[in-house]
Amino acid sequence: MSVLKPILGLEDAFGEQASHLRALQFQLFEIYNKAGFSEVIPPLVERPQSLVSGAGRFLSDQTLVFSDPADAGQLAIRPDITPQVARIAATRMQSSDALKLYYSGQVMLARPDARSGSRQQWQTGVEYLGVSGEAGDVEVMHLAGLSMQAAGFSSPVLQVGHMGLISALTEGSETTLETWVKTLSRRSPEDMLNQLANEDLPQVNKDALMALAAGQGDDVWLAEIANQINDDFATAAQELLQLVQTVESRLVGEVTIQIEVAVVPRFLYHSGMVFSGFADGSSRALLHGGRYDEMMKAHGRAMPATGFSFDLWAWL
């Protein structure tokens, strides 16, 4: 095999593709700068503990670790930039109570993406730290819609869910939350039925999970079932319904907001509201976002955090 043969799942960008990538990147930077966000440029490598600590542990199977020949010990190539932003906010930017940051850079996955087969992404994203509740969520969802519009996607839609709902539905199960999320992400009633076969959950919870797998978890469904599961489910449902009502009133005409309880994050470090972006002609999610307050605690600085990210390379 030739040593010059490209590595499977990795590609070069040159010519027109590279030009288009940079043009869109700078166009997005203008949007984020205008909204008061500042760029942060983390290094390509980190200590593995920084990437996978706490809520970031769900990145471990996609983190490529190697020994540093310069005696820095074990190092890792980042599979996601959000944990790096969390580290910077917790260690280098402690003097600021609220942080509005954006970034754009390459990440590498240890294993090819299940759908695209790619191991690389040009991850671009926005993180708003230090502001809790609707104020931060509305702003990042607004920027998510503007980002899709800037890239030329028509009729952008944000489908919004809440990890608290899924956690409440599966409370008491010995199956990990990660497994439940993977099952839900397939949107397959048959897979969900197989998953529930050996689960000792209340029937109302099982019926709800089947409804989500069948794509029935909209705002009407959520309002009807909100008080039928448990207190945690009711609290998360009210939080989500109120958030979507607020976002719809403030972003009317810019982006369509839909409740979809079965929406799950790309990486399972989110602990509250989550959302995915779609547009006309896109069968797959264009971006992913949500709250990840728990990750900040793991880095030693308890503060609310919300944001979104997408693969700029895939957008092109």
Side-chain angles (χ1 to χ4, degrees):
M1 181 179 69
S2 171
V3 296
L4 301 180
K5 184 178 180 180
I7 300 173
L8 187 65
L10 303 181
E11 296 181 6
D12 302 306
F14 52 89
E16 189 172 298
Q17 184 186 32
S19 177
H20 287 331
L21 187 147
R22 290 300 187 191
L24 178 55
Q25 184 184 47
F26 294 143
Q27 186 178 357
L28 292 168
F29 286 1
E30 288 185 9
I31 294 173
Y32 306 153
N33 286 327
K34 186 177 181 180
F37 285 71
S38 300
E39 185 179 11
V40 59
I41 307 175
L44 181 63
V45 298
E46 287 274 346
R47 297 194 183 279
Q49 298 86 346
S50 178
L51 291 174
V52 302
S53 64
R57 66 187 182 277
F58 300 105
L59 297 170
S60 59
D61 66 341
Q62 283 289 15
T63 303
L64 188 62
V65 180
F66 62 95
S67 296
D68 178 32
D71 295 329
Q74 292 279 297
L75 296 178
I77 300 176
R78 64 189 183 196
D80 184 57
I81 297 178
T82 299
Q84 294 184 291
V85 175
R87 172 189 58 77
I88 293 170
T91 59
R92 307 292 300 278
M93 306 181 79
Q94 294 187 32
S95 60
S96 299
D97 294 331
L99 297 168
K100 303 172 76 171
L101 306 172
Y102 70 87
Y103 55 84
S104 186
Q106 292 196 62
V107 301
M108 179 177 175
L109 307 178
R111 296 172 179 79
D113 180 80
R115 292 185 177 180
S116 68
S118 176
R119 294 180 62 191
Q120 68 182 13
Q121 296 181 355
W122 198 292
Q123 186 180 356
T124 303
V126 165
E127 313 291 353
Y128 194 0
L129 304 97
V131 177
S132 61
E134 296 177 353
D137 294 334
V138 170
E139 181 145 13
V140 299
M141 293 170 77
H142 178 211
L143 290 177
L146 291 179
S147 298
M148 290 190 286
Q149 289 179 337
F153 297 112
S154 60
S155 304
V157 175
L158 293 180
Q159 292 188 346
V160 192
H162 198 297
M163 289 305 297
L165 298 172
I166 299 173
S167 296
L169 285 174
T170 59
E171 183 179 348
S173 169
E174 294 184 1
T175 302
T176 65
L177 182 61
E178 186 173 13
T179 298
W180 284 112
V181 166
K182 287 180 178 179
T183 302
L184 272 174
S185 68
R186 293 194 288 270
R187 303 294 178 92
S188 167
E190 182 179 357
D191 287 353
M192 180 60 72
L193 190 62
N194 291 334
Q195 179 65 47
L196 290 171
N198 298 314
E199 294 290 341
D200 185 21
L201 293 172
Q203 190 58 47
V204 64
N205 294 46
K206 290 185 176 182
D207 292 343
L209 288 166
M210 285 298 301
L212 297 185
Q216 299 172 8
D218 61 9
D219 56 338
V220 175
W221 178 88
L222 183 59
E224 290 178 350
I225 200 174
N227 297 311
Q228 298 180 28
I229 306 298
N230 53 40
D231 290 344
D232 289 341
F233 189 92
T235 299
Q238 182 57 41
E239 183 178 323
L240 179 57
L241 289 166
Q242 179 60 47
L243 171 64
V244 168
Q245 183 179 359
T246 301
V247 174
E248 284 180 330
S249 65
R250 296 186 186 179
L251 304 186
V252 61
E254 294 185 4
V255 59
T256 299
I257 309 296
Q258 298 175 349
I259 285 182
E260 175 50 76
V261 178
V263 164
V264 293
R266 177 169 170 258
F267 290 126
L268 200 55
Y269 50 63
H270 292 89
S271 54
M273 175 275 297
V274 292
F275 63 89
S276 295
F278 296 86
D280 283 351
S282 63
S283 59
R284 295 176 54 187
L286 298 171
L287 56 80
H288 298 275
R291 285 214 155 264
Y292 57 96
D293 300 355
E294 296 301 317
M295 182 184 290
M296 291 306 303
K297 292 180 182 178
H299 284 272
R301 185 181 182 187
M303 65 188 306
T306 186
F308 68 89
S309 66
F310 53 91
D311 181 4
L312 191 64
W313 214 310
W315 276 22
L316 296 177

